[in-house]
Coordinates of all heavy atoms in Angstrom, one line a residue:
W1 N 25.5 80.0 130.2 CA 24.9 78.8 130.6 C 25.8 77.8 131.2 O 25.4 76.7 131.4 CB 24.1 78.1 129.4 CG 23.1 79.1 128.7 CD1 23.3 79.9 127.7 CD2 21.9 79.5 129.3 NE1 22.2 80.7 127.4 CE2 21.2 80.4 128.4 CE3 21.1 79.0 130.3 CZ2 20.0 80.9 128.6 CZ3 19.8 79.6 130.6 CH2 19.2 80.5 129.7
K2 N 27.0 78.0 131.4 CA 28.0 77.0 131.7 C 27.8 76.4 133.1 O 28.1 75.2 133.2 CB 29.4 77.7 131.8 CG 29.6 78.8 132.8 CD 31.1 79.3 132.8 CE 31.5 79.8 131.5 NZ 32.9 80.3 131.5
D3 N 27.1 77.1 134.0 CA 26.8 76.5 135.3 C 25.7 75.4 135.2 O 25.6 74.6 136.1 CB 26.3 77.6 136.3 CG 27.4 78.6 136.6 OD1 28.6 78.2 136.5 OD2 27.0 79.7 137.0
R4 N 25.0 75.4 134.0 CA 24.0 74.3 133.9 C 24.5 73.1 133.0 O 23.8 72.2 132.8 CB 22.8 74.9 133.2 CG 22.2 76.1 133.9 CD 20.9 76.5 133.2 NE 20.3 77.7 133.9 CZ 19.1 78.2 133.6 NH1 18.4 77.7 132.7 NH2 18.6 79.3 134.3
L5 N 25.8 73.2 132.6 CA 26.4 72.1 131.8 C 27.3 71.2 132.6 O 27.7 71.5 133.7 CB 27.1 72.7 130.6 CG 26.4 73.8 129.7 CD1 27.4 74.3 128.7 CD2 25.2 73.0 129.1
L6 N 27.6 70.1 132.0 CA 28.4 69.1 132.7 C 29.8 69.3 132.2 O 30.1 69.4 131.1 CB 28.0 67.6 132.4 CG 26.5 67.4 132.7 CD1 26.2 66.0 132.1 CD2 26.4 67.3 134.3
P7 N 30.8 69.3 133.1 CA 32.2 69.5 132.8 C 32.7 68.3 131.9 O 32.2 67.1 132.1 CB 33.0 69.5 134.1 CG 32.0 69.8 135.1 CD 30.7 69.3 134.7
L8 N 33.4 68.7 130.9 CA 34.0 67.6 129.9 C 35.5 67.5 130.1 O 36.2 68.5 129.7 CB 33.6 68.0 128.5 CG 34.2 67.1 127.4 CD1 33.9 65.7 127.6 CD2 33.9 67.7 126.1
P9 N 36.0 66.6 130.7 CA 37.5 66.4 130.9 C 38.2 66.4 129.6 O 37.6 65.7 128.6 CB 37.7 65.1 131.6 CG 36.4 64.8 132.3 CD 35.3 65.4 131.3
A10 N 39.3 67.1 129.4 CA 40.0 67.2 128.0 C 40.4 65.9 127.6 O 40.4 65.6 126.4 CB 41.1 68.1 128.3
F11 N 40.7 64.9 128.5 CA 41.3 63.6 128.0 C 40.3 62.8 127.2 O 40.6 61.9 126.4 CB 41.8 62.8 129.2 CG 40.9 62.2 130.0 CD1 40.3 60.9 129.7 CD2 40.3 62.7 131.2 CE1 39.4 60.3 130.6 CE2 39.4 62.1 132.0 CZ 38.9 60.9 131.7
L12 N 39.0 63.1 127.3 CA 37.9 62.3 126.6 C 37.9 62.8 125.1 O 37.4 62.0 124.3 CB 36.6 62.6 127.2 CG 36.4 61.8 128.6 CD1 35.0 62.1 129.1 CD2 36.6 60.3 128.5
C13 N 38.4 64.1 124.9 CA 38.5 64.5 123.5 C 39.9 64.3 122.9 O 40.0 64.1 121.7 CB 38.1 66.0 123.4 SG 36.4 66.4 123.9
D14 N 40.8 64.3 123.7 CA 42.2 64.1 123.3 C 43.0 63.3 124.3 O 43.4 63.8 125.4 CB 43.0 65.5 123.0 CG 44.3 65.4 122.6 OD1 44.8 64.2 122.3 OD2 45.0 66.4 122.5
P15 N 43.2 62.0 124.0 CA 43.8 61.1 125.0 C 45.3 61.6 125.4 O 45.8 61.1 126.4 CB 43.8 59.8 124.4 CG 42.7 59.8 123.4 CD 42.7 61.3 122.9
T16 N 45.9 62.4 124.6 CA 47.2 62.8 124.9 C 47.3 63.9 125.9 O 48.3 64.3 126.4 CB 48.0 63.3 123.6 OG1 47.2 64.5 123.1 CG2 47.9 62.3 122.5
Q17 N 46.1 64.5 126.3 CA 46.1 65.6 127.2 C 46.3 65.0 128.6 O 45.9 64.0 129.0 CB 44.7 66.2 127.2 CG 44.4 67.0 126.0 CD 45.1 68.3 126.0 OE1 45.4 69.0 127.1 NE2 45.5 68.9 124.8
A18 N 47.1 65.7 129.4 CA 47.4 65.3 130.8 C 46.1 65.4 131.6 O 45.2 66.2 131.4 CB 48.4 66.2 131.4
S19 N 46.0 64.4 132.5 CA 44.8 64.4 133.3 C 45.1 63.9 134.7 O 46.1 63.3 134.9 CB 43.7 63.5 132.7 OG 44.1 62.2 132.6
G20 N 44.3 64.2 135.6 CA 44.5 63.8 137.1 C 43.1 63.3 137.7 O 42.1 63.1 137.0
W21 N 43.2 63.2 139.0 CA 42.1 62.5 139.7 C 40.8 63.4 139.6 O 39.7 62.9 139.4 CB 42.4 62.4 141.2 CG 43.4 61.3 141.3 CD1 44.7 61.3 141.5 CD2 43.0 59.8 141.4 NE1 45.2 60.0 141.6 CE2 44.2 59.1 141.7 CE3 41.8 59.1 141.4 CZ2 44.2 57.7 141.7 CZ3 41.8 57.7 141.5 CH2 43.0 57.0 141.7
Q22 N 40.9 64.8 139.7 CA 39.7 65.6 139.5 C 39.1 65.4 138.1 O 37.9 65.3 137.9 CB 40.0 67.0 139.7 CG 38.9 68.0 139.7 CD 37.8 67.6 140.8 OE1 38.1 67.5 141.9 NE2 36.6 67.3 140.5
D23 N 39.9 65.3 137.1 CA 39.4 65.1 135.7 C 38.7 63.7 135.7 O 37.7 63.5 135.0 CB 40.6 65.0 134.7 CG 41.3 66.4 134.7 OD1 40.7 67.4 134.5 OD2 42.5 66.3 134.9
W24 N 39.3 62.7 136.2 CA 38.7 61.4 136.3 C 37.3 61.3 137.0 O 36.4 60.6 136.6 CB 39.7 60.3 136.8 CG 41.0 60.3 136.1 CD1 41.2 60.8 134.8 CD2 42.2 59.9 136.6 NE1 42.5 60.6 134.5 CE2 43.3 60.0 135.5 CE3 42.7 59.3 137.9 CZ2 44.5 59.8 135.7 CZ3 44.0 59.0 137.9 CH2 44.9 59.2 136.9
L25 N 37.3 62.0 138.1 CA 36.0 62.2 138.8 C 35.0 62.8 138.0 O 33.8 62.4 138.0 CB 36.2 62.9 140.1 CG 35.0 63.3 141.0 CD1 34.3 61.9 141.4 CD2 35.4 64.0 142.2
N26 N 35.4 63.9 137.3 CA 34.4 64.6 136.4 C 34.0 63.6 135.3 O 32.8 63.6 134.9 CB 35.1 65.8 135.8 CG 35.2 67.0 136.8 OD1 34.6 66.9 137.8 ND2 36.0 67.9 136.5
G27 N 34.9 62.8 134.8 CA 34.5 61.9 133.7 C 33.5 60.8 134.2 O 32.6 60.4 133.5
L28 N 33.8 60.2 135.5 CA 32.9 59.3 136.0 C 31.5 60.0 136.3 O 30.4 59.3 136.0 CB 33.3 58.9 137.4 CG 34.3 57.7 137.5 CD1 34.6 57.4 138.9 CD2 33.7 56.4 136.8
R29 N 31.4 61.3 136.7 CA 30.2 61.9 136.9 C 29.4 62.1 135.6 O 28.2 62.0 135.5 CB 30.4 63.2 137.6 CG 30.8 63.0 139.1 CD 31.1 64.4 139.7 NE 31.3 64.2 141.2 CZ 31.9 65.2 141.9 NH1 32.4 66.3 141.4 NH2 32.1 65.0 143.3
L30 N 30.2 62.4 134.6 CA 29.6 62.7 133.2 C 28.9 61.4 132.7 O 27.8 61.3 132.4 CB 30.7 63.1 132.2 CG 30.3 63.3 130.8 CD1 29.2 64.4 130.7 CD2 31.5 63.6 130.0
S31 N 29.7 60.3 132.6 CA 29.1 59.0 132.2 C 28.1 58.5 133.0 O 27.1 58.0 132.6 CB 30.3 58.0 131.9 OG 30.9 57.7 133.1
G32 N 28.3 58.7 134.4 CA 27.2 58.2 135.3 C 26.0 58.9 135.2 O 24.9 58.3 135.4
Y33 N 26.0 60.3 134.8 CA 24.8 61.0 134.6 C 23.9 60.4 133.5 O 22.7 60.2 133.7 CB 25.1 62.5 134.2 CG 23.9 63.3 133.9 CD1 23.1 63.9 134.9 CD2 23.4 63.4 132.6 CE1 21.9 64.7 134.6 CE2 22.3 64.2 132.2 CZ 21.6 64.8 133.2 OH 20.5 65.5 132.9
F34 N 24.6 60.0 132.4 CA 23.8 59.6 131.3 C 23.3 58.0 131.4 O 22.3 57.6 131.0 CB 24.5 59.7 129.9 CG 24.6 61.2 129.6 CD1 25.8 62.0 129.8 CD2 23.6 61.8 128.9 CE1 25.8 63.4 129.4 CE2 23.6 63.2 128.6 CZ 24.7 63.9 128.9
L35 N 24.3 57.3 132.2 CA 23.8 55.9 132.5 C 22.6 55.9 133.4 O 21.7 55.2 133.2 CB 24.9 55.2 133.1 CG 26.1 54.7 132.3 CD1 27.2 54.3 133.2 CD2 25.6 53.6 131.5
A36 N 22.6 56.8 134.4 CA 21.5 57.0 135.3 C 20.2 57.4 134.7 O 19.2 56.9 134.9 CB 21.9 57.9 136.5
R37 N 20.4 58.4 133.7 CA 19.1 59.0 133.1 C 18.6 58.1 132.0 O 17.4 57.9 131.9 CB 19.5 60.4 132.5 CG 18.3 61.0 131.9 CD 18.6 62.3 131.2 NE 19.1 61.8 129.9 CZ 19.5 62.8 128.9 NH1 19.3 64.1 129.1 NH2 20.0 62.3 127.8
D38 N 19.5 57.5 131.1 CA 19.1 56.9 129.9 C 18.9 55.3 130.1 O 18.0 54.7 129.7 CB 20.0 57.2 128.8 CG 19.9 58.7 128.4 OD1 18.8 59.3 128.6 OD2 21.0 59.3 128.0
A39 N 20.1 54.8 130.6 CA 20.1 53.2 130.8 C 19.3 52.7 131.9 O 18.7 51.6 131.7 CB 21.6 52.8 130.9
F40 N 19.2 53.5 133.0 CA 18.4 53.0 134.2 C 17.2 53.8 134.4 O 16.2 53.3 134.9 CB 19.4 52.9 135.4 CG 20.5 51.9 135.3 CD1 21.7 52.2 134.7 CD2 20.2 50.6 135.6 CE1 22.7 51.2 134.6 CE2 21.2 49.7 135.6 CZ 22.5 49.9 135.0

């Protein structure tokens, strides 16, 4: 079912994990999905 799930960047679970622009983009898309669905 992984293709139906939202990617979770590792830095959101462990801030010590290295991250880069693609991780940050995935993080924005993750929080944006729930803001769009639930808050708006």
Side-chain angles (χ1 to χ4, degrees):
W1 302 100
K2 65 175 61 178
D3 291 340
R4 302 187 183 185
L5 304 177
L6 302 170
L8 172 61
F11 76 88
L12 290 178
C13 298
D14 181 2
T16 65
Q17 290 285 330
S19 60
W21 286 97
Q22 186 61 56
D23 301 303
W24 305 337
L25 176 57
N26 288 340
L28 272 182
R29 287 171 172 168
L30 175 66
S31 55
Y33 173 86
F34 290 99
L35 282 169
R37 189 191 71 178
D38 297 327
F40 292 93

